[in-house]
Amino acid sequence: DAKTTQPNSMESNEEEPVHLPCNHSTISGTDYIHWYRQLPSQGPEYVIHGLTSNVNNRMASLAIAEDRKSSTLILHRATLRDAAVYYCILIYSGSARQLTFGSGTQLTVLP
Amino acid sequence: DSGVTQTPKHLITATGQRVTLRCSPRSGDLSVYWYQQSLDQGLQFLIQYYNGEERAKGNILERFSAQQFPDLHSELNLSSLELGDSALYFCASSEQRVWTGELFFGEGSRLTVL
């Protein structure tokens, strides 16, 4: 699977937007971009995924660069409950689709 | 609640022992995945089963084995346990036939080897 690079940590203030970046310069045309998060003492939780176009769901938005070499997860209004480790993961569409987790970004939300 | 159930939630045992972790996937999900999370290694994929058959293998030690039963529940067997096997073990499930991009994770089984 292609590699992703994320900042180790980020901070945000409560109720402000958060932009979590991910670089994936070796992404291939058939790789999907997935985001998961892991809250303290819980299993990972799906956030969003996309291929080429920007995506929105109830949790977040995913902005994908035109060349697909980077993407940004956007939390529109951070809450204390959004404090978690966020993982950006590439999945080849033809694979068994197991997730390969990197070290992720630890998001701290300040009240 | 993801719908994935793992038992036991906590387990303490001694080196050299054998334990079995159990996972019940979400209703209708055919794929089961096992992951190990330790402080120094992060989340590591161990193995995947699809409808009873092994589908993919990751960094699973030879001392570890898994299987998926006809009712689709899965068990991860860890034997000759070492201190370094202390970790959180997560099970996840997905509906592989229609890929929604989502794996559903259980709350994990915390194994402590003393």
Side-chain angles (χ1 to χ4, degrees):
Chain A
D1 293 325
K3 188 175 167 59
T4 63
T5 304
Q6 300 177 251
N8 289 332
S9 62
M10 290 184 65
E11 274 187 3
S12 172
N13 293 318
E14 197 177 8
E15 299 188 5
E16 289 187 359
V18 183
H19 289 65
L20 296 164
C22 180
N23 286 321
H24 29 79
S25 58
T26 59
I27 191 171
S28 74
T30 50
D31 284 340
Y32 283 80
I33 303 161
H34 289 247
W35 285 82
Y36 278 73
R37 72 179 185 181
Q38 187 174 20
L39 279 65
S41 302
Q42 293 190 27
E45 173 187 35
Y46 169 83
V47 178
I48 201 167
H49 81 284
L51 183 62
T52 56
S53 304
N54 294 343
V55 184
N56 299 297
N57 66 20
R58 64 175 179 79
M59 287 182 70
S61 295
L62 176 60
I64 301 173
E66 199 170 327
D67 64 5
R68 301 210 326 127
K69 293 184 185 300
S70 65
S71 61
T72 302
L73 178 70
I74 303 165
L75 307 179
H76 295 286
R77 286 180 73 243
T79 68
L80 296 178
R81 196 195 171 275
D82 291 322
V85 179
Y86 286 79
Y87 299 96
C88 169
I89 303 165
L90 302 183
I91 300 179
Y92 167 55
S93 60
S95 74
R97 295 160 183 162
Q98 73 274 20
L99 305 175
T100 301
F101 289 86
S103 52
T105 297
Q106 174 69 63
L107 175 65
T108 300
V109 180
L110 304 172
Chain B
D1 182 6
S2 67
V4 177
T5 304
Q6 290 188 245
T7 57
K9 289 195 180 342
H10 300 276
L11 189 55
I12 301 174
T13 188
T15 54
Q17 295 298 303
R18 172 189 170 93
V19 299
T20 297
L21 308 180
R22 182 189 168 102
C23 170
S24 294
R26 287 190 327 152
S27 176
D29 283 356
L30 300 179
S31 272
V32 170
Y33 307 73
W34 285 98
Y35 285 82
Q36 179 193 56
Q37 186 171 34
S38 58
L39 280 175
D40 56 345
Q41 294 287 327
L43 269 161
Q44 299 279 316
F45 167 69
L46 296 179
I47 197 163
Q48 179 201 359
Y49 281 83
Y50 175 74
N51 204 19
E53 300 289 327
E54 183 182 304
R55 181 81 187 267
K57 216 165 186 175
N59 301 319
I60 188 166
L61 299 172
E62 284 191 13
R63 299 183 286 109
F64 296 0
S65 65
Q67 53 184 327
Q68 186 179 27
F69 295 87
D71 67 352
L72 301 178
H73 91 271
S74 177
E75 292 181 356
L76 179 66
N77 300 297
L78 315 174
S79 62
S80 302
L81 285 168
E82 301 175 0
L83 295 177
D85 298 327
S86 296
L88 261 172
Y89 291 84
F90 289 105
C91 168
S93 73
S94 73
E95 170 48 73
Q96 197 79 355
R97 275 196 297 255
V98 180
W99 176 241
T100 61
E102 188 167 0
L103 295 193
F104 297 86
F105 283 81
E107 295 187 353
S109 293
R110 182 175 293 280
L111 173 66
T112 302
V113 182
L114 301 177

